[in-house]
Amino acid sequence: MAKAQSVLKREPEGQPTEYDEQSDPKALIRRLSTLRWLLPLLIFLVVVVHQGIENFAVDEWSSLARFLSGVAVYGFVGPIVTFFTLSWIMGQLREKETAEARIRQLNRELEQRVAQRTEELARAYEELQRRNEALQAANEELKELDQLKSEFVSMVSHELRAPLTNINGSIELMLADGDMDPESQRTMLRIIGEQSARLTRLVQGILNVSRIEARKLEIHPQAVDVRPLMEKAIENLARRENIHEFELPEGPLPLVWADPDRLEEILANLIDNAVKYSPEGGTIKLSARESDGRLIISVTDPGVGIPAKELDKIFEKFHRVDRGDARTTYGHGLGLYISKRFIEAHGGDIWVESKLGKGSTFSFTLPLATPEQLKSKAGVPGERTVEDARK
């Protein structure tokens, strides 16, 4: 008997599996295809030999009829029945093999679809996670904005109430004292003027934010000398409180290409910010230097400094540094935000360097006025929007 051979069959997953070749339907069909011809022939030969021995052993030629009839019955009918029986078995095996091949094909397709669906579900899950994270981040941002809005409303209410109270109090004192001396009247009027200016700055800041958010803020650049604007900002501030010293840069400064009104507001915001957080009698230093076609302007104060975790947030809208004095120090958290947007509209940058207990230095850049601009424009202001600066 032939020894059964073992072969390796590779499954759809790619893992080889050992199996007996005799159990393979295709191998059985090949054997049956050979056997259905050989077995009937072997049966026919056996019948012929058997009938010949049985009928001609005694040399009786009268047994020829029996021999032929035996061969016809056993030598033809048996092989024919055997042939068709084996053919039928082969057909059944072929049908079985076809069905199994179809099942294997369906299994492979099903596995592919399952794998594809699993991959799609994995991608959908990742996308869902990403969207959930984005939604959570947006929700946190909305909460933060809502908190900032509440704080802003509270601060603005305080900023409005304080100067209005001072104005009303001064007016009431003047009305109540009909014989008030001129010096006292001047003091009351000075208080009214200072508090009115404070209200004006608050309203102007809110209007600037509104223009910035609506992208309707326009700048009109021209050749500007920075020094007179520094002196003007310091002079306006000194009218309100003359308790600090100021140091200006030495020598003439190069002209910058900027909107003088916006530049004056930037300087006023930075100087006012330095004064608010510096001790009385401290020196506020203003400096300027050229670098790569730009003028770097810095405002340095000897104040309390800014915590490192706050450095990336101080230029955000409505943000105020939490130093425990947010209520006692006036401000609405818009000055640095407005200054940053004004500077960016000019194509410049702004940054801060600070150490707790040692003060802060706010620096920003503005483009220098080129000879071509001085010659072609001849000092005539141009016009530029915030969107133009971003392009």
Side-chain angles (χ1 to χ4, degrees), residues 5-11 15-21:
Q5 298 180 354
S6 295
V7 298
L8 290 178
K9 179 181 179 182
R10 189 165 296 275
E11 296 295 334
Q15 299 295 330
T17 303
E18 185 174 344
Y19 76 107
D20 193 346
E21 184 181 4

Side-chain angles (χ1 to χ4, degrees), residues 2 130 147-148 209 228 232 284 306 336 342 372 386:
R130 187 186 65 80
Q147 181 180 357
L148 289 175
V209 171
K232 184 178 180 181
I284 311 298
I306 303 171
L336 292 178
F342 282 175
E372 291 77 9
V386 175

